[in-house]
Amino acid sequence: DVKVTQSSRYLVKRTGEKVFLECVQDMDHENMFWYRQDPGLGLRLIYFSYDVKMKEKGDIPEGYSVSREKKERFSLILESASTNQTSMYLCASSLFATEDLRAVYEQYFGPGTRLTVT
Amino acid sequence: GQQLNQSPQSMFIQEGEDVSMNCTSSSIFNTWLWYKQEPGEGPVLLIALYKAGELTSNGRLTAQFGITRKDSFLNISASIPSDVGIYFCAGIGSNYQLIWGAGTKLIIKP
């Protein structure tokens, strides 16, 4: 059974703090993604990674950075948290290109981390 | 960039009713996906569509890939309480990234 876990379900941080959100997948997936979810805006891609130590900016990378030192782990870092980063953060993973390209597009999500910055 | 318009934004229905929601775009997509997110959880893939005109079912759920490749529909028949949640459409854009709709929140009136 596929599994994506996120380090915290709920997190409260103060403005200016450095925040780490951790994501681990046990499916040996090459691709990993970080999204934020806000009401009425759907899911917006922050960063993704298609291999260890590789990263690509998504649609809203400002204020965030990522780290992928191991295949199974993808971290999202808020260098200096601000109140407009209060949101639900979702991690996902998927396979890279294989014989069946369909596997690439089917992302598996973690339960999310609801971050509040005060 | 490519965008998806998902409607309706929310639906209040009676148990047993059929539900219909859709996503449209001005751009062509090669793949459409439908996800469901239950409260407190991440989205889970329900149905994937890979060919224009394709009609695929998953239990009481049926989704269609529009023939123009610019839209997709999801229907739920005979809704039950566990159908509540947010339904997202997603399309695979020209750069092979997922483009997400804003979601349709389904609420079932007791």
Side-chain angles (χ1 to χ4, degrees):
Chain A
D1 197 22
V2 297
K3 195 135 179 156
V4 179
T5 57
Q6 294 183 229
S7 50
S8 305
R9 294 298 294 266
Y10 300 93
L11 211 51
V12 180
K13 295 292 182 181
R14 293 188 183 275
T15 301
E17 277 193 81
K18 191 168 186 175
V19 181
F20 293 86
L21 302 182
E22 304 284 342
C23 175
V24 177
Q25 50 97 1
D26 65 359
M27 297 164 283
D28 203 32
H29 283 171
E30 289 83 3
N31 295 338
M32 295 188 75
F33 307 83
W34 275 106
Y35 293 91
R36 66 176 280 176
Q37 181 181 12
D38 300 288
L41 297 178
L43 277 68
R44 292 181 291 167
L45 182 64
I46 304 171
Y47 268 97
F48 68 98
S49 167
Y50 54 87
D51 201 354
V52 174
K53 296 195 186 295
M54 305 301 288
K55 61 184 179 185
E56 295 284 342
K57 291 181 180 179
D59 300 318
I60 51 165
E62 296 78 20
Y64 303 94
S65 61
V66 290
S67 172
R68 190 147 181 223
E69 296 297 318
K70 292 185 178 182
K71 188 177 185 180
E72 66 272 18
R73 189 178 297 268
F74 192 34
S75 302
L76 179 70
I77 303 152
L78 287 66
E79 295 290 342
S80 177
S82 63
T83 54
N84 63 12
Q85 292 179 309
T86 291
S87 187
M88 169 72 90
Y89 290 87
L90 291 164
C91 174
S93 71
S94 75
L95 286 168
F96 197 59
T98 64
E99 289 181 8
D100 183 359
L101 287 177
R102 300 177 183 199
V104 177
Y105 305 137
E106 295 173 10
Q107 296 186 9
Y108 295 86
F109 283 83
T113 295
R114 186 165 292 283
L115 173 66
T116 302
V117 183
T118 61
Chain B
Q2 293 179 294
Q3 288 187 319
L4 288 182
N5 298 307
Q6 185 172 354
S7 66
Q9 189 173 11
S10 60
M11 302 182 75
F12 295 80
I13 61 165
Q14 298 276 10
E15 184 177 347
E17 281 185 32
D18 294 343
V19 172
S20 190
M21 59 190 80
N22 69 85
C23 274
T24 61
S25 174
S26 57
S27 306
I28 288 172
F29 286 90
N30 297 315
T31 300
W32 286 93
L33 305 172
W34 284 93
Y35 284 82
K36 179 189 177 188
Q37 184 181 29
E38 297 189 359
E41 301 296 330
V44 173
L45 182 65
L46 296 173
I47 292 178
L49 302 159
Y50 301 101
K51 211 161 90 167
E54 183 180 351
L55 186 72
T56 297
S57 292
N58 178 2
R60 293 177 295 104
L61 276 62
T62 302
Q64 184 160 24
F65 191 144
I67 198 73
T68 64
R69 294 164 62 194
K70 293 182 178 181
D71 56 12
S72 180
F73 301 86
L74 176 70
N75 295 314
I76 306 172
S77 62
S79 59
I80 59 177
S82 62
D83 289 334
V84 298
I86 303 175
Y87 291 80
F88 291 100
C89 64
I92 307 298
S94 54
N95 62 354
Y96 301 101
Q97 295 305 316
L98 278 180
I99 310 296
W100 291 84
T104 295
K105 188 170 185 178
L106 182 61
I107 299 163
I108 296 182
K109 294 182 276 190

